[in-house]
Amino acid sequence: MPEPAVADPATGLLPEPARDELRLEHVLSALSDPLRLSIVQAYLRDAGGEERACGWFKIDRPKSTRTHHWKVLRESGVVRQRQVGLERRNTVREADLDARFPGLLDLVRAWRPAD
Amino acid sequence: MPEPAVADPATGLLPEPARDELRLEHVLSALSDPLRLSIVQAYLRDAGGEERACGWFKIDRPKSTRTHHWKVLRESGVVRQRQVGLERRNTVREADLDARFPGLLDLVRAWRPAD
DNA sequence: CCGCTAGTACGAGTTGCATCGTACTACGGT
DNA sequence: ACCGTAGTACGATGCAACTCGTACTAGCGG
């Protein structure tokens, strides 16, 4: 059922799990990848709560790889994606994650990459 | 280098990452498996801080599968394993995890399995 | 209308992980 | 000495995930 992943015509929101559908194991799995961890951290630290398109995060990978990681983040419920014209604008679902998994995002904020 | 994984002759401790070597991404990866999540939760809830052998956790899987999961938990730093005669006694490394990733174990305690 | 741009979709290659069977080792008891 | 027990080690299988190239689509500007 998660086929072409079409945005809601009214809000532009792409399909995502509701707050009470969030699964800790899925969120942890999404965050267990260092690249995605750095993406989420960048949103938390540098986006100032504003929506940022995928291209805002600087990363030396082909576009298809980027699409993949943002999709994993959205389907696990970590980020929300809203289609606006050409771009998909992203935000971390801080309220939902804080409600369901308090403290988790603080760990992401404090994370330091290995290298 | 992580070969037969021999226990320290003095303490019985099996090799594990030091507190400052713990990596958030590895810990999250270890905890992103529902089976391991339920294992860690059982230790936190029902072990009363005591050491428990692998066989203490009731699970309908062959022994080799069990060994695998406890190894993942140890190598990521979530549990400590101490060889005592025949058994390997396990504890969750609460102090280390609370120091490095405060709040994380609370999420595990509060977790509810999907089914 | 043409081209640029942001991004998706699809498919392939590769790697890693979960699962499990089998064989094995080491300790403890009788 | 024998056997049961607790667990590891190894190897195979199957599946899911990461990576990426290529082709494609939808807006927007001129």
Side-chain angles (χ1 to χ4, degrees):
Chain A
M1 71 239 212
E3 290 329 303
V6 64
D8 182 299
T11 63
L13 280 184
L14 281 102
E16 64 179 27
R19 175 184 287 195
D20 65 343
E21 290 170 347
L22 296 178
R23 300 287 325 156
L24 179 59
E25 58 269 37
H26 296 162
V27 172
L28 295 186
S29 176
L31 294 177
S32 68
D33 183 278
L35 183 51
R36 288 194 291 265
L37 210 39
S38 65
I39 291 170
V40 176
Q41 185 181 64
Y43 274 89
L44 290 173
R45 286 178 161 181
D46 307 329
E50 298 297 313
E51 290 182 321
R52 303 290 181 184
C54 313
W56 167 80
F57 184 81
K58 290 315 174 200
I59 169 185
D60 188 21
R61 299 287 164 83
K63 293 189 291 182
S64 49
T65 299
R66 290 228 306 263
T67 300
H68 165 70
H69 286 294
W70 264 266
K71 181 181 178 185
V72 171
L73 289 172
R74 174 175 52 83
E75 292 184 342
S76 66
V78 175
V79 307
R80 167 166 295 140
Q81 292 191 295
R82 197 165 63 87
Q83 190 87 36
V84 179
L86 270 183
E87 10 176 85
R88 293 191 174 178
R89 300 197 181 150
N90 305 274
T91 49
V92 176
R93 295 174 61 180
E94 294 193 53
D96 290 330
L97 292 168
D98 287 346
R100 288 293 312 280
F101 313 120
L104 180 58
L105 290 182
D106 289 330
L107 301 179
V108 177
R109 288 189 189 91
W111 176 70
R112 288 205 47 188
D115 207 13
Chain B
M1 70 237 217
E3 289 330 301
V6 65
D8 182 300
T11 63
L13 279 185
L14 281 101
E16 65 179 26
R19 174 183 287 194
D20 65 344
E21 290 170 348
L22 296 178
R23 300 287 324 156
L24 179 60
E25 58 270 37
H26 296 161
V27 172
L28 295 186
S29 176
L31 294 177
S32 67
D33 182 277
L35 183 51
R36 288 194 292 264
L37 209 39
S38 64
I39 291 170
V40 176
Q41 186 182 63
Y43 274 87
L44 291 173
R45 286 179 163 182
D46 306 328
E50 299 295 314
E51 291 182 320
R52 303 290 181 186
C54 313
W56 167 79
F57 183 81
K58 290 316 175 201
I59 169 185
D60 189 20
R61 299 288 163 83
K63 294 189 290 182
S64 48
T65 299
R66 290 227 306 261
T67 300
H68 165 71
H69 286 296
W70 263 266
K71 181 182 178 185
V72 171
L73 289 172
R74 175 175 53 82
E75 292 184 342
S76 66
V78 175
V79 307
R80 168 167 294 140
Q81 292 190 295
R82 198 164 64 86
Q83 190 85 36
V84 179
L86 270 183
E87 7 176 86
R88 293 191 174 179
R89 301 197 181 151
N90 304 275
T91 49
V92 176
R93 294 174 61 181
E94 295 193 53
D96 290 330
L97 292 168
D98 287 346
R100 289 293 312 281
F101 313 121
L104 181 58
L105 289 184
D106 289 330
L107 301 179
V108 178
R109 288 189 188 91
W111 176 70
R112 287 205 46 185
D115 209 14

